[in-house]
Amino acid sequence: MKERDAAGNGGGVRLSSVDHRYSQWKFLVPILYDWFANHNLVWPSLSCRWGPQLEQATYKNRQRLYLSEQTDGSVPNTLVIANCEIVKPRVAAAEHISQFNEEARSPYVRKFKTIIHPGEVNRIRELPQNNNIVATHTDSPDVLIWDVESQPDRHAVLGAAVSRPDLILTGHQENAEFALAMCRSEPLVLSGGKDKSIVFWNIHDHISTLATQPKTDGPGDKHNESPVIQARGVFHGHDDTVEDVQFCPSSAQEFCSVGDDSCLILWDARTGSSPVVKVEKAHNADLHCVDWNPIDENLLLTGSADNTIRLFDRRNLTANGVGSPIHIFENHNAAVLCVQWSPDKSSVFGSSAEDGVLNIWDHNKIGELSGPSSKTAQGLLFRHSGHRDKVVDFHWNAHDPWTIVSVSDDDESTGGGGTLQIWRMIDLIYRPQQEVITELDKFKSHILTCSSE
């Protein structure tokens, strides 16, 4: 991807506007959020994912969190497994939410284990059937599979031997860095790369043995000692790098892909290795990301370097040979890097971009403007402006659907590494209007008393 490596920095004017936006946002944190945690990272991270829930308690839950560390070579690149304490809804006080130091590490996030990764970690995806098993994309043609619970904890120092993957998936002819997906129903893996192809694997035969394989990482271990799985299928249809892939939520054989050729393609492994539907011009620039609605499977989201998100209905993808989206969402002012549907509400999704903003949208609210002269983007529900540089990844929490983890690469704007944030907007923003009015009405007399004093 051409834009992922770009600085995204427009000079001093841009930094000034970002700082101004950030200071305004920080002032509003106690009002806008039900809970917020900020965790300063030493190194930039390109991917963050929720793992399994570990423990439920009265006021908070504990859950695994996966993230990457992209170092400068002075220490190895790592895949980090952390434990995260997630405060339950309506527990944190406003003054507690506002008390965070953007230069410090959050007490809610604690590193549990470090895996020394062979190369950069560009993308992490967990296996839905077993969240302890994750796949990673690095700067090579291979996909690496890890059982993060049985992998030994490593100390990331210069010269340390890399951890040994549990499996290596081969089949790409060139580097495959970003496009990676796992199937919901079966242990299948999809990957896309610079070779313009999509590669499809089945790791079913190896899943049962992952946890029992001995791990004896040390100086004598070789990266190529890991078991290797060959591709089950290779699919050709893109004319440039494949940037993202996604399985259909209810099918192990249907999937979609997007790429730097501006195409959105739908595939079905049962019909061969050629596209089922190819949308030649889904956007006006490179496509960076795609997501398939887990509840309404007719809906697909795409995000692009043209700064927009487009909503497609797979029953009517094209008109006159070009993409025919249901709606174009416009609010970002830089390339969109990640889109993801909410696991809980079929009409809600998030988008993050190089402008440092993570937007939450509700396509059911298209056309609902606050007034005749409203400048609010149609369907925009919430703007998370807590990051000060490009938001490279985020993930909705399936165990706590309105809680999101997001990560930004802050190296260009602040000279730091990265920022990990875990946050949940206040529920008054997304709950049904009448519910909110009824609840606020209880405080009406108190509010009026305060305003008259």
Side-chain angles (χ1 to χ4, degrees):
M1 175 183 296
K2 305 174 186 71
E3 283 77 10
R4 278 197 211 258
D5 298 324
N9 189 345
V13 173
R14 179 186 177 277
L15 290 179
S16 177
S17 64
V18 168
D19 290 341
H20 178 66
R21 183 190 71 197
Y22 179 79
S23 62
Q24 286 184 316
W25 167 83
K26 192 171 181 181
F27 178 76
L28 294 171
V29 166
I31 301 168
L32 297 176
Y33 294 84
D34 180 68
W35 183 58
F36 177 82
N38 188 93
H39 188 71
N40 181 258
L41 300 170
V42 176
W43 302 108
S45 177
L46 287 184
S47 193
C48 57
R49 301 289 289 186
W50 291 110
Q53 193 172 72
L54 304 174
E55 183 182 351
Q56 295 187 16
T58 304
Y59 298 110
K60 57 187 179 182
N61 298 326
R62 191 157 56 93
Q63 191 168 347
R64 285 274 195 264
L65 184 65
Y66 307 133
L67 64 147
S68 64
E69 289 183 324
Q70 316 285 106
T71 73
D72 62 0
S74 60
V75 293
N77 293 294
T78 62
L79 171 63
V80 175
I81 298 90
N83 288 339
C84 180
E85 304 286 342
I86 303 168
V87 176
K88 289 187 174 182
R90 298 207 167 198
V91 169
E95 57 269 21
H96 176 74
I97 296 170
S98 64
Q99 292 171 358
F100 69 90
N101 179 357
E102 55 261 39
E103 306 305 329
R105 298 186 181 188
S106 171
Y108 294 100
V109 180
R110 296 185 182 278
K111 187 178 288 189
F112 170 72
K113 184 182 289 187
T114 299
I115 293 171
I116 299 180
H117 199 270
E120 296 181 346
V121 186
N122 296 324
R123 188 63 60 90
I124 305 167
R125 289 292 179 265
E126 71 286 351
L127 187 67
Q129 303 91 48
N130 182 347
N131 288 166
N132 294 330
I133 295 172
V134 302
T136 56
H137 252 328
T138 186
D139 43 359
S140 84
D142 299 333
V143 177
L144 308 180
I145 303 294
W146 308 87
D147 182 337
V148 296
E149 290 302 308
S150 63
Q151 281 283 336
D153 186 19
R154 301 293 303 282
H155 187 45
V157 294
L158 185 63
V162 298
S163 298
R164 181 168 61 85
D166 292 276
L167 296 172
I168 299 176
L169 311 185
T170 63
H172 279 293
Q173 302 305 308
E174 294 184 54
N175 288 355
E177 297 174 343
F178 293 105
L180 184 63
M182 301 283 224
C183 178
R184 274 188 167 197
S185 56
E186 298 180 36
L188 305 176
V189 182
L190 276 179
S191 168
K194 291 183 177 179
D195 57 6
K196 308 172 189 176
S197 68
I198 297 154
V199 185
F200 182 86
W201 296 272
N202 187 333
I203 58 175
H204 183 271
D205 295 339
H206 296 263
I207 292 299
S208 59
T209 62
L210 283 180
T212 61
Q213 291 178 350
K215 304 292 189 303
T216 56
D217 283 6
D221 281 328
K222 302 289 185 183
H223 176 54
N224 59 12
E225 289 179 358
S226 302
V228 174
I229 299 181
Q230 304 296 327
R232 171 174 282 203
V234 181
F235 300 81
H236 300 281
H238 283 283
D239 298 319
D240 206 334
T241 300
V242 180
E243 293 288 359
D244 202 8
V245 289
Q246 196 67 243
F247 276 100
C248 174
S250 66
S251 173
Q253 304 298 322
E254 296 175 78
F255 51 93
C256 62
S257 61
V258 296
D260 288 345
D261 55 3
S262 301
C263 292
L264 163 66
I265 301 180
L266 269 60
W267 310 81
D268 190 331
R270 295 165 296 194
T271 63
S273 58
S274 299
V276 173
V277 180
K278 184 173 183 178
V279 183
E280 292 282 358
K281 196 174 181 183
H283 281 259
N284 299 321
D286 300 357
L287 272 74
H288 291 170
C289 46
V290 64
D291 198 25
W292 205 314
N293 193 305
I295 301 168
D296 184 347
E297 293 180 4
N298 290 315
L299 300 181
L300 292 159
L301 281 175
T302 55
S304 169
D306 66 10
N307 306 354
T308 70
I309 304 105
R310 300 193 177 192
L311 175 63
F312 289 91
D313 187 324
R314 69 166 169 169
R315 296 166 296 188
N316 185 26
L317 286 169
T318 61
N320 300 320
V322 298
S324 179
I326 299 171
H327 189 74
I328 300 175
F329 297 88
E330 298 179 294
N331 184 260
H332 291 291
N333 57 30
V336 178
L337 299 178
C338 184
V339 291
Q340 190 184 54
W341 290 102
S342 162
D344 186 55
K345 302 292 183 183
S346 64
S347 62
V348 174
F349 65 92
S351 64
S352 67
E354 288 187 353
D355 58 8
V357 174
L358 200 168
N359 284 330
I360 304 299
W361 308 82
D362 186 343
H363 71 75
N364 280 348
K365 295 188 178 297
I366 294 171
E368 292 184 14
L369 301 180
S370 56
S373 61
S374 175
K375 295 182 180 179
T376 303
Q378 292 210 11
L380 184 61
L381 187 66
F382 187 79
R383 274 172 66 88
H384 176 64
S385 301
H387 292 285
R388 287 175 286 176
D389 212 319
K390 48 188 175 291
V391 184
V392 290
D393 200 13
F394 72 94
H395 193 200
W396 296 86
N397 192 333
H399 295 284
D400 189 351
W402 286 96
T403 299
I404 291 173
V405 59
S406 53
V407 67
S408 58
D409 180 354
D410 301 339
D411 185 54
E412 294 296 331
S413 61
T414 67
T419 300
L420 180 84
Q421 294 181 341
I422 304 163
W423 52 276
R424 180 172 55 238
M425 73 179 83
I426 192 166
D427 61 12
L428 298 177
I429 294 172
Y430 58 81
R431 281 170 50 205
Q433 186 177 26
Q434 192 52 52
E435 274 188 27
V436 173
I437 292 171
T438 301
E439 179 171 335
L440 292 178
D441 197 52
K442 299 175 185 176
F443 303 98
K444 182 177 180 180
S445 60
H446 177 69
I447 294 169
L448 292 173
T449 302
C450 292
S451 63
S452 63
E453 290 180 353

